[in-house]
Amino acid sequence: MDDAKLIRIALAEDNPALRLVLTRTLSTESGFQLLIQAENGQKLLDCLCDTAVDIVLMDVHMPIMDGISAARRRLAGSLS
């Protein structure tokens, strides 16, 4: 599939085992490109400063910064 047509995904999940399962699942599906893997909301926001994605899959309960707080900051335009 042409890279221009791939759906670019960011994944934020603090559980390493679940993050691995999701990564493997997404890598087997055509049409998706997993660009970001983060273990908390702050790391996700840090990565989103440099990388454009189409979809963010994010855990709600994470250490450092939870998914709800990260989504609110991203929508407000505050990435720090």
Side-chain angles (χ1 to χ4, degrees), residues 13 27 43 49-50 62:
E13 170 57 58
S27 69
K43 288 195 177 193
C49 287
D50 300 326
M62 294 182 285

Side-chain angles (χ1 to χ4, degrees), residues 10-11 13 21 24 26-28 30 35 41 44-45 47-48 50 52 63 68 75-76:
L11 170 64
E13 170 57 58
V21 168
R24 287 182 176 169
L26 289 168
S27 69
T28 63
S30 65
L35 297 178
L44 173 73
L45 292 180
C47 293
L48 288 174
D50 300 326
I68 300 297
L75 290 171

Side-chain angles (χ1 to χ4, degrees), residues 11-25 34 37-40 59 61-63:
L11 170 64
E13 170 57 58
D14 63 315
N15 181 313
L18 183 52
R19 193 169 57 245
L20 179 61
V21 168
L22 291 168
T23 298
R24 287 182 176 169
T25 300
L34 183 60
Q37 295 181 55
E39 58 268 13
N40 63 62
D59 186 358
H61 301 287
M62 294 182 285

